[in-house]
Amino acid sequence: MASNNRATQINKVIKVSGKYYKPAEPRTDHSVLEHLLFACCLENSTYDDAIRVFETLSQDYFDWNEVRVTSIRELAERMKSLNDPKSSATRLKRVLQSLFESHYSFDLEPMRKQNIGQAVKQLEKYKGASSFVVAYVTQNALGGHSIPVNRGLLQAMLSVGVISESEAAKNAVPGLERAVPKTRGFETGSLLHQLGVELHRSPYGPTIRKLLLEIDPKCKDRLPKRPSKKVEPKKPAPPKAEAEPKKTEKTKTTKKAPAAKASTKAPAKKTPKKAAAAKPAKPAKKKEVAKKAAASKSKPKKKPAKKKTAKKTTKSSSKTKKKAAKKTLAKRKPR
C-alpha cells in the first residue's frame, strides 16, 4: 500500500474509533518500573481492568520481589478480571525475573537519563517484554513517540486493509507514528488500544463489525469469521454407537478364540515332550544291541570252558564207574 493511502486509512480508523471510545488519562505518577508492569497488565485488556489489577497487586503483596516468587497460577487468580489473565501473569512474572537477574534490584529510573534508542534496546532484552510493553514504556515513561499496538489492533488493521499479512506477522503497523503527531500520541494510542481490545474480546460481535464496516465498507470478506460447522459431521455420534457393538462382538469372539486355541494347543505342547522323551530312548536300545553283540562275541571264548567242564564230568563219571566196579569185585571175592 502507498504511504499516502496508508496514512489516510489510518486517519479514518482513528476518526471512527473516536466516535465509539473516549481517550484515557495518562498516568504521570508512575515510575519507569510501574509503567513497565502496568503495561504487562494492560495488553489486550481495558484501562479500568488493568488499573484495578495493578492496584490489587501493589496492595496485597509486600513488594515486587514477593510478586516475582509467586506462582503464575496464583497471579492469574488475582488477575482474573483481565481478558487473558494467564498470559498477563506469565508476562509480569518473566519481566520481574529478568529484571532481578539483570540488576538484582527493581529500580529503572536511571533509564530516563539514557538515550531513547539505548533505553529501548535495554527494554527489548528483558524476557516477557512484548512489543506492546516496550512501546508503552517508551511513550509514557521515556517521552518517546511510539504508539503501542496490541493483538486485536493488528487484526483490525489487517481487516481494514491498512497492513498486509506479512506486516501483521511482524507485530507492526508501518507509518502509524508518521500519521499521528507526538502531541496526540497518548490520546490516539488509547483510542486504538480500545479498538483492539474490543476485537480481541468479541471478534464476532455486532459492535466491532459495525465499526470496521464503517471504516471500510468493502472489508466484509476480511472480517473475522466463525469456524464452520461442517467440521462437526465428521465425527457423528450415531456411527460411534453402531461401531461400538461391533467392537464388542469382535472382542467376544477374540476372547473365545484364545480358549479354543489353548485347548487345542495343550496336547500339542505335551506331544513334543513325549517325542523329546522318546528320542533319548533310541540310543539306549542301540547300547543294548551293542552290549548283546559284545556278549555274543564274547561267548565263543567261553566255549572251551564248557568243554573242560564236560571233560571233567566225563572223568568224574569214569572214576565213579571204576569205584563201582571195585566195589562189585570186592563183594564177589568172598564167594
Side-chain angles (χ1 to χ4, degrees):
M1 179 181 287
S3 59
N4 294 330
N5 294 333
R6 192 192 296 269
T8 54
Q9 195 74 359
I10 289 172
N11 289 325
K12 192 173 183 180
V13 172
I14 297 168
K15 184 179 179 181
V16 174
S17 300
K19 295 180 181 179
Y20 291 86
Y21 308 109
K22 294 181 179 180
E25 296 180 1
R27 302 181 67 82
T28 56
D29 57 339
H30 279 180
S31 63
V32 179
L33 175 64
E34 290 173 340
H35 278 299
L36 179 63
L37 301 180
F38 179 75
C40 294
C41 302
L42 180 63
E43 187 172 354
N44 300 320
S45 299
T46 61
Y47 278 91
D48 294 336
D49 293 339
I51 291 169
R52 195 179 303 111
V53 168
F54 184 81
E55 288 178 354
T56 54
L57 290 175
S58 58
Q59 292 173 5
D60 294 347
Y61 293 94
F62 179 74
D63 57 2
W64 293 113
N65 188 47
E66 187 178 357
V67 177
R68 178 184 67 86
V69 297
T70 307
S71 64
I72 295 175
R73 184 177 179 181
E74 184 178 348
L75 288 175
E77 291 178 357
R78 298 291 181 92
M79 304 167 73
K80 60 183 179 180
S81 60
L82 302 178
N83 289 334
D84 196 354
K86 187 176 181 180
S87 62
S88 300
T90 304
R91 197 161 43 242
L92 181 66
K93 184 177 174 64
R94 290 185 66 188
V95 166
L96 288 171
Q97 183 65 29
S98 182
L99 288 173
F100 181 77
E101 292 175 356
S102 301
H103 309 289
Y104 297 102
S105 65
F106 300 105
D107 185 16
L108 296 179
E109 291 304 312
M111 293 181 68
R112 294 182 186 270
K113 300 178 182 180
Q114 295 178 358
N115 187 13
I116 292 178
Q118 186 178 358
V120 169
K121 288 181 181 179
Q122 185 176 346
L123 288 171
E124 290 175 349
K125 291 180 181 179
Y126 297 142
K127 296 179 181 179
S130 60
S131 58
F132 177 89
V133 173
V134 173
Y136 183 87
V137 176
T138 303
Q139 181 190 58
N140 294 274
L142 303 178
H145 184 42
S146 180
I147 297 175
V149 177
N150 55 21
R151 192 185 309 170
L153 182 59
L154 283 173
Q155 183 65 33
M157 292 292 187
L158 179 63
S159 301
V160 171
V162 176
I163 59 175
S164 61
E165 293 182 358
S166 60
E167 291 170 343
K170 296 177 182 178
N171 297 328
V173 182
L176 182 59
E177 284 79 9
R178 295 178 185 176
V180 179
K182 184 178 179 181
T183 55
R184 297 183 58 191
F186 181 81
E187 178 184 351
T188 304
S190 64
L191 294 175
L192 295 177
H193 176 75
Q194 295 178 64
L195 170 64
V197 171
E198 183 67 27
L199 180 60
H200 179 74
R201 183 169 52 188
S202 58
Y204 315 115
T207 304
I208 192 65
R209 291 178 68 88
K210 182 181 178 181
L211 193 151
L212 295 177
L213 287 172
E214 187 175 351
I215 296 170
D216 185 9
K218 298 179 181 179
C219 71
K220 188 175 182 180
D221 297 335
R222 297 191 298 269
L223 293 176
K225 297 179 182 179
R226 295 180 184 273
S228 59
K229 296 181 180 179
K230 294 180 181 179
V231 181
E232 296 178 358
K234 290 182 180 179
K235 294 181 180 180
K240 284 184 179 179
E242 291 177 0
E244 286 175 357
K246 290 181 181 179
K247 289 181 181 178
T248 52
E249 289 175 4
K250 287 181 181 179
T251 51
K252 286 181 181 178
T253 53
T254 50
K255 285 180 181 178
K256 290 180 181 179
K261 286 180 182 178
S263 61
T264 53
K265 286 182 180 179
K269 289 180 181 177
K270 291 180 181 178
T271 50
K273 290 182 180 178
K274 289 181 179 178
K279 284 179 183 178
K282 290 181 180 179
K285 288 181 180 180
K286 288 181 181 180
K287 289 181 180 179
E288 290 177 0
V289 173
K291 287 180 181 179
K292 287 179 180 179
S296 62
K297 288 179 182 180
S298 62
K299 280 179 183 179
K301 294 180 181 179
K302 293 180 181 180
K303 282 180 181 179
K306 287 182 180 180
K307 289 179 181 179
K308 289 179 182 179
T309 53
K311 288 180 180 180
K312 287 179 181 179
T313 52
T314 52
K315 287 180 180 181
S316 61
S317 61
S318 61
K319 286 180 180 181
T320 52
K321 285 179 181 180
K322 286 180 180 181
K323 287 179 180 180
K326 287 180 180 181
K327 286 180 182 180
T328 51
L329 291 172
K331 287 179 181 181
R332 288 180 183 178
K333 283 179 180 180
R335 289 183 183 178

